[in-house]
């Protein structure tokens, strides 16, 4: 199967009409390729689906934080959901509008809070009472008012992988609804804080609408209660989490998701803030790799490729399934013996796909699809592997937006520190 804008044209795998094999040749593999036109089309479609509901799309930077991608999303008018000081620096470096930044995360450090106050970001999505009072003290000392949203944990089961589920009461994210209800009047009274919104994020890769709508209804009940007590919020942030297709999932369309949210909002005037990450970028990215060896062992076939868990961690971390397809379309009747596609890293979990009937061998190119989100961002230097290059396609042009790392890049931060040495 192929995905999104990755499709065979005349037997050659292309993205947005650009053939991928020459990119693998030119830049080497492993190589990430993103089709920005497809990402932009999704952004516009999402915004259109929300229509007349006042809204702001704040792209979740952690899904894919390449500067060239952020700069282009900023130009489309996107806001950004960040989870660290590093992501703040990235958004600013890419020309993002600070007023459209929301800052999520359970463990914001003092330095990160200060940097975000200095940058004048749009909203702090506060996840605990101690964080709230630390932010209050920092803002007051700086003589400013920090715009605050409380992240509530609506305690709904998103029915996704436990590692990417965040909205149940036994995990570390957010505040219980009653706790938030009690905190809003207290924060409203503090000179260093200004209540502007409420937020939740219940998990990732959700493939049904109900958990989103259940969560929103619970949060709206609190919004209404606060309003009755004279506290009005200007935005409601429903987080990210909309799922995509990797295999046979059938996630709701952006239109259905938008319609569901609007239905629950019933014409409330607040700005609807959304934090999509995966939905915007996953299907528009692929990891290109080359088969190094084909190996047969105890009746099992292995394709050992030059990409690994260091480039794409999702299969090892979440047991995630990604389509793996040859760069040259196989004949209709060509089916190889099922093979495990594995990387060279010294870990048994370094598997990119199991039992794939791929009719390829040594030297052939493959594309691992659906790799635009949580791909490069989770890459590591384990086994002293250089992180891969990234290419962004736009209007038929290929731009190298991150060169392949070199060993010198990796060593630059280290010191031999030998006794008596230089
Ligand atoms: C990770 C995250 C997102 C994005 O999630 P996706 O599943 O990629 O859409 C949005 N908001 C918060 C707070 C997150 O932690």
């Amino acid at each position: 199967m192929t995905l999104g804008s990755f499709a065979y044209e005349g037997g050659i795998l292309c993205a947005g009409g650009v053939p991928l094999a020459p990119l693998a040749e030119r830049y080497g593999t492993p190589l990430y390729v993103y089709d920005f036109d497809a990402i932009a089309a999704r952004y516009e479609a999402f915004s259109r689906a929300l229509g007349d509901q006042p809204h702001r799309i704040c792209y979740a930077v952690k899904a894919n934080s390449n500067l060239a991608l952020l700069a282009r999303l900023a130009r489309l008018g996107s806001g950004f959901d960040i989870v660290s000081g590093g992501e703040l620096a990235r958004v600013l470096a890419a020309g993002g509008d600070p007023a459209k930044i929301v800052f999520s995360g359970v463990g914001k450090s003092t330095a990160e809070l200060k940097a975000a106050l200095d940058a004048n970001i749009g909203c702090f999505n506060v996840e605990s009472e101690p964080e709230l009072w630390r932010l209050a003290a920092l803002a007051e000392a700086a003589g400013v008012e920090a715009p605050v949203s409380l992240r509530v944990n609506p305690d709904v089961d998103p029915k996704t992988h436990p590692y990417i589920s965040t909205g149940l009461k036994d995990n570390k994210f957010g505040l219980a609804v009653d706790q938030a209800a009690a905190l809003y009047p207290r924060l409203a009274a503090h000179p260093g804080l200004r209540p502007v919104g409420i937020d939740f994020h219940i998990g990732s890769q959700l493939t049904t609408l109900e958990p989103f709508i259940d969560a929103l209804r619970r949060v709206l009940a609190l919004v209404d209660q606060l309003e009755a007590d004279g506290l009005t919020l200007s935005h409601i942030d429903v987080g990210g989490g909309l799922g995509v297709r990797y295999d046979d999932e059938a996630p709701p369309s952006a239109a259905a998701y938008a319609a569901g949210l609007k239905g629950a909002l019933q014409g409330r005037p607040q700005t609807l803030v959304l934090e999509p990450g995966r939905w915007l970028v996953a299907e528009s990215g692929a990891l290109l790799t080359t088969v190094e060896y084909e190996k047969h062992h105890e009746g099992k076939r292995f394709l050992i490729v030059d990409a690994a868990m260091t480039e794409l961690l999702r299969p090892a971390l979440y047991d995630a399934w990604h389509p793996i397809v040859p760069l040259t379309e196989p004949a209709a009747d060509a089916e190889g013996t099922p093979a495990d596609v594995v990387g060279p890293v010294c870990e048994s979990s370094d598997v990119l796909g199991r039992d794939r009937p791929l009719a390829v061998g040594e030297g052939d190119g493959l594309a691992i699809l659906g790799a635009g989100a949580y791909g490069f961002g989770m890459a590591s230097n384990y086994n002293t592997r250089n992180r891969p290059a990234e290419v962004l396609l736009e209007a038929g042009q290929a731009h190298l937006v991150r060169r392949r790392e070199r060993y010198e890049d990796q060593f630059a931060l280290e010191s031999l520190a030998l006794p008596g040495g230089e």
Side-chain angles (χ1 to χ4, degrees):
M1 69 175 268
T2 52
L3 263 189
S5 53
F6 289 78
Y8 290 107
E9 293 178 26
I12 306 293
L13 189 67
C14 296
V18 177
L20 299 179
L23 297 178
E25 185 72 30
R26 175 157 179 209
Y27 299 107
T29 56
L31 177 73
Y32 271 102
V33 178
Y34 313 124
D35 178 2
F36 183 72
D37 297 330
I39 295 169
R42 283 192 161 227
Y43 178 90
E44 303 289 7
F46 206 14
S47 187
R48 248 193 329 274
L50 293 160
D52 53 3
Q53 173 71 42
H55 64 269
R56 170 162 299 147
I57 298 171
C58 292
Y59 167 64
V61 173
K62 74 177 187 285
N64 186 329
S65 57
N66 183 282
L67 291 174
L69 171 63
L70 301 184
R72 283 166 175 77
L73 285 171
R75 281 198 179 174
L76 292 180
S78 184
F80 297 94
D81 170 47
I82 60 169
V83 293
S84 71
E87 289 188 355
L88 172 63
R90 276 188 178 274
V91 170
L92 298 178
D97 178 357
K100 295 185 192 168
I101 294 176
V102 299
F103 192 174
S104 302
V106 291
K108 304 176 194 77
S109 69
T110 295
E112 289 175 322
L113 292 170
K114 276 188 173 163
L117 281 171
D118 282 348
N120 224 345
I121 68 161
C123 189
F124 290 84
N125 288 357
V126 169
E127 301 220 13
S128 68
E129 195 173 338
E131 179 193 339
L132 183 69
W133 302 131
R134 191 191 292 187
L135 175 63
L138 292 170
E140 202 177 2
V144 295
E145 252 187 358
V148 168
S149 163
L150 293 182
R151 175 168 178 178
V152 297
N153 188 329
D155 193 24
V156 297
D157 184 354
K159 302 191 178 64
T160 184
H161 190 285
Y163 284 9
I164 48 181
S165 148
T166 55
L168 279 165
K169 64 174 181 293
D170 59 355
N171 75 46
K172 70 180 178 183
F173 298 99
L175 294 148
V177 173
D178 317 351
Q179 252 183 319
L183 268 181
Y184 270 106
R186 292 175 62 202
L187 84 89
H190 193 287
L193 302 173
R194 178 163 40 94
V196 295
I198 188 162
D199 65 286
F200 64 88
H201 170 75
I202 54 176
S204 202
Q205 185 53 13
L206 273 67
T207 51
T208 60
L209 274 183
E210 291 73 30
F212 290 114
I213 308 302
D214 284 356
L216 179 54
R217 290 224 173 89
R218 287 180 199 199
V219 166
L220 288 175
L222 174 54
V223 170
D224 291 345
Q225 180 193 326
L226 293 170
E227 204 151 294
D229 296 339
L231 195 147
T232 306
L233 299 174
S234 56
H235 77 248
I236 298 166
D237 178 346
V238 298
L242 184 57
V244 298
R245 177 156 177 233
Y246 290 105
D247 186 7
D248 53 6
E249 301 90 341
S253 66
Y257 175 64
L261 296 174
K262 283 164 70 174
L265 284 168
Q266 295 185 305
R268 281 182 181 74
Q270 281 95 348
T271 299
L272 178 64
V273 174
L274 306 107
E275 303 171 354
R278 185 190 312 270
W279 187 85
L280 274 175
V281 295
E283 289 180 26
S284 308
L287 175 60
L288 309 189
T289 184
T290 305
V291 178
E292 290 283 4
Y293 299 104
E294 177 174 355
K295 172 173 169 177
H296 294 264
H297 178 64
E298 304 274 345
K300 219 175 146 64
R301 177 175 175 236
F302 293 93
L303 290 168
I304 302 169
V305 299
D306 64 2
M309 64 190 293
T310 42
E311 284 73 42
L312 183 64
L313 185 60
R314 298 187 68 257
L317 185 62
Y318 308 121
D319 206 18
W321 194 95
H322 287 262
I324 304 179
V325 298
L327 295 186
T328 307
E329 189 169 25
D333 56 353
E335 223 181 59
T337 319
D340 282 6
V341 179
V342 301
V345 166
C346 309
E347 295 289 341
S348 304
S349 58
D350 185 22
V351 178
L352 295 163
R354 290 183 201 279
D355 293 325
R356 305 304 176 91
L358 288 161
V360 296
E362 196 173 313
D364 288 336
L366 295 171
I368 305 174
L369 304 180
Y374 307 105
F376 187 94
M378 287 187 174
S380 79
N381 292 121
Y382 187 44
N383 284 205
T384 306
R385 289 169 59 81
N386 286 323
R387 284 178 295 172
E390 295 174 285
V391 165
L392 181 141
L393 306 175
E394 186 177 35
Q397 295 287 318
H399 304 281
L400 180 67
V401 292
R402 181 176 165 115
R403 70 159 168 79
R404 187 174 305 283
E405 230 166 20
R406 301 183 186 122
Y407 297 131
E408 308 88 87
D409 297 324
Q410 293 197 52
F411 302 163
L413 303 179
E414 296 178 35
S415 149
L416 295 181
L418 289 169
E422 309 271 284

